[in-house]
Amino acid sequence: RRARLRSDSGIEEGQGQRNAVIAITDGHDNAIENSLFEAQNPRILNNLFPQTGSFLTFDQLLDGVMEAEALVYPVYLAGTNQNIYVSSSPGAAASPTTPANQNQARITETAERQLQELARVSGARMYTAERIEDLKGVFDQVAAELRTIYSMAYSPSNTNFDGKFRQIRVQVNRPGVALRTRRGYYAR
């Protein structure tokens, strides 16, 4: 089902609709890359990475996802991050052990971890595609999953709608059932 975008770039929920966002990304935040690589070799930085980055922190992004009534399915383009090594000096062979390349490995690990967390807090899951050609299979899997999602209603006993985040836990007593849920909700 479709979500409509509001003018403030939020997701406008349709009555009774299931909303999902598929984000195809390498997961790298250029703001992080720029700060780590700048100390290593600013001349190489300017040639490799654009001077842009996130305007939100990752925690702010997670808060927004927790407030949204949408599942977020990150599709991690893993093949775009493999073996990107920068030589430490002109004419020298690139090595994965240089400080710049160790930073690249840390950035990639952080990207994967953050995409997993993004999916988890929305109640979805992360997919991985090695190549662009793999995306069709990913889209088919997301579509199949969206057809098997159940919605549950919850009426809290605490009627103080103070805007605070409240955790909830859902348990299933049926063996073999996979369960992914949101961690909670904002009391509004």
Side-chain angles (χ1 to χ4, degrees):
R1 298 191 184 167
R2 286 184 241 153
R4 294 180 302 274
L5 293 179
R6 295 188 317 229
S7 61
D8 64 355
S9 298
I11 295 174
E12 181 181 317
E13 295 84 17
Q15 186 72 10
Q17 290 185 356
R18 188 169 293 131
N19 298 296
V21 174
I22 298 175
I24 303 168
T25 180
D26 66 358
H28 287 204
D29 182 343
N30 292 343
I32 294 171
E33 289 177 352
N34 291 345
S35 65
L36 288 174
F37 280 102
E38 192 166 27
Q40 302 297 327
N41 193 333
R43 196 175 63 190
I44 291 175
L45 171 71
N46 292 331
N47 293 330
L48 290 178
F49 301 108
Q51 296 298 313
T52 59
S54 296
F55 58 91
L56 297 175
T57 66
F58 185 67
D59 288 337
Q60 290 170 323
L61 175 62
L62 288 180
D63 286 344
V65 167
M66 285 191 287
E67 282 190 64
E69 298 281 332
L71 298 164
V72 177
Y73 290 93
V75 179
Y76 176 58
L77 292 176
T80 61
N81 297 322
Q82 296 175 358
N83 301 321
I84 301 173
Y85 298 129
V86 178
S87 175
S88 58
S89 62
S95 166
T97 60
T98 65
N101 295 325
Q102 289 171 345
N103 284 340
Q104 182 69 34
R106 283 193 292 273
I107 289 168
T108 298
E109 290 168 12
T110 299
E112 289 182 66
R113 189 177 60 252
Q114 287 180 339
L115 291 175
Q116 287 282 3
E117 180 68 4
L118 187 62
R120 190 183 70 73
V121 300
S122 79
R125 71 179 212 163
M126 182 182 95
Y127 289 90
T128 300
E130 293 293 325
R131 302 177 326 270
I132 297 294
E133 294 80 19
D134 298 335
L135 291 177
K136 166 104 174 67
V138 169
F139 295 145
D140 292 342
Q141 290 176 51
V142 171
E145 183 170 310
L146 289 172
R147 288 189 295 271
T148 62
I149 292 175
Y150 291 90
S151 297
M152 296 173 45
Y154 170 73
S155 297
S157 57
N158 181 352
T159 57
N160 179 15
F161 299 107
D162 54 9
K164 292 182 181 176
F165 186 78
R166 296 190 185 150
Q167 288 189 325
I168 57 171
R169 196 171 99 202
V170 179
Q171 294 179 313
V172 177
N173 293 331
R174 190 178 209 180
V177 172
L179 181 66
R180 276 193 316 271
T181 65
R182 289 181 168 266
R183 297 187 315 195
Y185 65 97
Y186 284 93
R188 297 199 165 135

